[in-house]
Amino acid sequence: MDWHLIVFEVIDMRSFSNLWFWIALAVMWSSASHWVLGVPFDMVGRARKHGGQSEIDLEDMVRINVNRILFIASEAGSVVLALGFFVVTSLAVLGFYYWVEMAQAVFFLLFPMSIVGLLSVSTAQRIRDEGAQGDALCKRLSRQRVATQIIGMISIFVTSLWGMYQNLSSSFLAM
């Protein structure tokens, strides 16, 4: 038996009927809502509840990650943005013009996450401009998390609808 036949049997290339795609989608959005600007959100709760050293640790970690995000955005931002647009547009064309289901699935993963990425850069810039600390910093991070969760809920809903449509239409075509 050929190796590529074995790979295609193990990994179902029909993405929306594949359990691994849905697990990856759930893990991606769970991780995105837990790690706000690269900071685990439990640190925000601990800083609000206990203050003191927990708040100092949160401020230090946010400062480090905000500086890192804004450095990358200023140094390579236009290249990353252009490459991101190219990849997302290529996936959209392959997926919805040429009907490549794998491209559709990856598009449904990357497009909303790119919106979260742009929102993260914007939030990082606001934190730096405001010099947010303490409660103001916790509120800004909480708003970022809620926005990420809303984008994630919409993304999961739309992806589910499209996946059900794809699975139903392919099952009718098989008849």
Side-chain angles (χ1 to χ4, degrees), residues 14 16 99 101 104 161-175:
R14 291 197 48 252
F16 296 108
W99 290 97
E101 188 174 327
Q104 292 172 357
L161 288 178
W162 187 260
M164 285 186 281
Y165 168 74
Q166 285 291 76
N167 289 334
L168 289 173
S169 66
S170 67
S171 66
F172 285 125
L173 291 175
M175 293 174 137

Side-chain angles (χ1 to χ4, degrees), residues 7-172:
V7 169
F8 284 123
E9 284 180 17
V10 173
I11 302 171
D12 183 12
M13 296 310 280
R14 291 197 48 252
S15 303
F16 296 108
S17 63
N18 191 333
L19 178 63
W20 292 109
F21 171 76
W22 297 104
I23 291 171
L25 182 73
V27 168
M28 181 185 76
W29 284 111
S30 175
S31 297
S33 67
H34 178 69
W35 292 89
V36 180
L37 297 181
V39 177
F41 196 73
D42 61 293
M43 286 184 75
V44 176
R46 202 172 323 121
R48 279 184 171 162
K49 185 176 181 180
H50 300 295
Q53 187 61 45
S54 297
E55 191 171 303
I56 293 168
D57 292 345
L58 174 69
E59 290 171 357
D60 288 342
M61 193 153 181
V62 169
R63 179 184 47 78
I64 291 167
N65 285 328
V66 161
N67 288 338
R68 184 179 56 85
I69 289 168
L70 294 177
F71 175 77
I72 292 169
S74 68
E75 293 295 317
S78 57
V79 173
V80 171
L81 190 66
L83 186 61
F85 271 113
F86 172 75
V87 169
V88 170
T89 303
S90 298
L91 288 170
V93 169
L94 283 171
F96 301 106
Y97 184 75
Y98 292 108
W99 290 97
V100 177
E101 188 174 327
M102 184 69 132
Q104 292 172 357
V106 176
F107 175 82
F108 281 119
L109 293 173
L110 287 183
F111 178 69
M113 196 54 73
S114 64
I115 296 171
V116 171
L118 292 172
L119 189 62
S120 295
V121 172
S122 173
T123 301
Q125 187 64 49
R126 284 185 179 172
I127 288 172
R128 180 188 274 177
D129 291 345
E130 294 171 355
Q133 293 180 336
D135 194 47
L137 179 61
C138 291
K139 284 181 183 178
R140 179 67 64 194
L141 293 173
S142 295
R143 280 191 219 122
Q144 172 70 19
R145 183 177 195 218
V146 168
T148 300
Q149 289 173 333
I150 289 170
I151 293 168
M153 287 188 302
I154 293 168
S155 171
I156 291 169
F157 179 72
V158 170
T159 304
S160 301
L161 288 178
W162 187 260
M164 285 186 281
Y165 168 74
Q166 285 291 76
N167 289 334
L168 289 173
S169 66
S170 67
S171 66
F172 285 125

